[in-house]
Amino acid sequence: MNTKGQKKIRIAVQKSGRLNEDSMRMLKECGIELSNGMNKLKSSALNFPLEILFLRDDDIPEYVAQGVADIGIVGENVLVESKASVNVIERLGYGKCRLSIAIPKGRRYSGVKSLQGKRIATTYTNVLQEFLRKQKVKAEIHEISGSVEIAPGIGLADAICDIVSSGSTLFMNGLEEVETVMKSEAVLIGNDNLSPGQTEIIERLLFRIRASRKAKQNKYVLLNAPNDQLKKICKLIPGMRSPTILPLVEPGWSSVHSVIEEERFWEIIEKLRDAGAQGILVVPIEKMVI
Ligand code: PRT
Ligand code: ZN
């Protein structure tokens, strides 16, 4: 399908499943309002040149490659398995999981060579094949489409290669993770034949996605500091450019405002307290444009 010159982009999103909710939340955080419910096959944005196609995740890479959709959101595991010719535009930071090989608990395992000649059940035959080739291991790959974790228990395979996130599915099926084949998260993919008009719309969307993600990774912090400690405190919270310092009515004290990274939150708060900061307030940030 030729989408060149269009002043609108079509994004493919998983219709239902693990990536649907987070993907729709991300679009909402980008200020995108939809014209109808999500039970339809497609939906148009009311305030952005965007149309959403709701599809099964396995179909998304190929539909984007063919230009049925211009961009799409899919797990990297599905993308790599599909071998579709698309570009990864942005890693989105949700839907994190790993594709791992697991064997029945207690079975002897002394490295990847232990898989030589074994039967491995998986939905991800391409990814597994490539992994085994790189490891120079020859094993029998059994393609099954669902409930991979029960394959060893019913004698269908010696090992499995499947998606793991918390590990509880493996645990409940008496399996033990022995190799990580790939790590995965949701990615925004794009057709490699987009018009300048479409690229511009995607850039606008990306700007919003990044601002929302950045906001989540940071917190706004306000605190009171004795003036003789200001230098030390400002060093701990340098912020986007530099912190804001406002004098308090009480002599010898100032209010300091800045931004800190969520990841280093506790470490920084402890150091701020040690440096004499008081009345520390930490506030979520809605959007962050640098
Ligand atoms: O219907 P459709 O084909 O669109 O969806 P699907 O059923 O094929 O996929 P879905 O919705 O299960 O997953 C979509 C994507 O979410 C995957 O391709 C991954 O990129 C990502 N993802 C993140 C996961 C998981 N976490 C996950 N835990 N996909 C699947 N699982 C399953 C896994 O297959 C196993 O059965 O959850 C189980 C393991 O989870 P834990 O927490 O017990 O380890
Ligand atoms: Zn699927």
Side-chain angles (χ1 to χ4, degrees), residues 16 27-28 53 88 100 102 138 140 142 147 152 163 170 174 181 199 266 290:
S16 61
L27 293 176
K28 196 170 170 212
L53 303 183
V88 172
S100 292
K138 284 211 163 73
E140 252 181 64
H142 282 249
S147 303
I163 300 289
L170 293 185
V181 173
T199 306
W266 288 114
I290 297 176

Side-chain angles (χ1 to χ4, degrees), residues 14-19 55-58 74-78 95-97 124 149 162-170 184-186:
Q14 190 187 24
K15 183 166 169 47
S16 61
R18 285 168 204 264
L19 297 185
L55 301 169
R56 281 203 56 192
D57 69 344
D58 315 71
V74 74
E76 267 174 306
N77 49 307
V78 172
K96 285 193 176 169
C97 57
Y124 296 91
E149 64 280 358
D162 201 14
I163 300 289
V164 182
S165 89
S166 68
S168 65
T169 303
L170 293 185
S184 177
E185 67 185 82

